[in-house]
Amino acid sequence: MSVGEIPVALLAGFVSFLAPCVLPLVPGYLSAISAVDADKLGEPGVSRRVVLSSIPFVLGFTAFFVVLGAGATLIGDSLFRDQFLLEQVSGFVLVVFGLAFMGLLPWPERLVGAGLVQGARSRGSRVLLGASFAVCAAPCIGPVLAAILVLAGSSETVLEGGLLLAVYSFGLALPFVLVGAAFTRTMGAFRWLRDHYVAIQFVGGLVMVALGLLLFFGRFSVLRIYVNRLFDALGLEPLF
């Protein structure tokens, strides 16, 4: 796993949060996990309760995504012993997912697992509710999630693959918790981002295509060079 993949995974998680099948449902999930009515979110005194209730929910979907990342690494390692061939295949698939995310290729979207959410709510488990949320959202955020799984599949170890998906989950969890902490102010900002989601989607797709081409042509190390140059320009120690 390259250091350049970490901010990409973080950004992918944030973009997933803005997806049409995630952002509009956030108030409902916050209400469900905290037992606070949706119309009372943002009132004084409830933020701490909502944030604390969000932690097991976040752990639930993080566990689901980390298991996916570890599984992608195992599959990639078992199918492709040649690391160069694995990177070429991963790069090609990443380009396809990037084009699909930009809307240039068809991508089937459908919600699944609604019964899982109902079952988790009936059991009162916030962790299970988080995992169910991940299952339900996966088809809609498919191109982004699949792109990160492709990168995880090209990782050298299961730990690296799991870590990459943990970073992705953090990118999804951070705005979720921020909304819980300051509902009124943050939802206004996120609605603005939602209204510009098409542009964000197009730029995100371009990033996926660029990463895929770098992987396919064996030039992914170029990204590391520019990351180190950025750190140097900011007066920070290069990571490599």
Side-chain angles (χ1 to χ4, degrees), residues 66-167:
V66 168
V67 168
L68 283 183
T73 305
L74 287 173
I75 293 173
D77 184 59
S78 61
L79 292 180
F80 300 97
R81 299 295 180 182
D82 186 339
Q83 183 67 22
F84 179 71
L85 178 60
L86 174 59
E87 289 185 356
Q88 281 194 312
V89 172
S90 299
F92 174 78
V93 174
L94 196 58
V95 168
V96 172
F97 285 141
L99 293 174
F101 190 60
M102 294 165 68
L104 300 179
L105 290 177
W107 180 267
E109 293 185 5
R110 56 189 180 89
L111 292 177
V112 297
L116 293 176
V117 173
Q118 189 60 36
R121 293 188 66 174
S122 65
R123 290 178 176 83
S125 172
R126 298 187 183 101
V127 175
L128 286 178
L129 187 59
S132 301
F133 159 78
V135 173
C136 290
C140 178
I141 60 176
V144 181
L145 177 59
I148 301 303
L149 288 174
V150 167
L151 291 178
S154 63
S155 299
E156 295 183 357
T157 66
V158 173
L159 180 61
E160 289 182 353
L163 177 60
L164 194 63
L165 268 295
V167 174

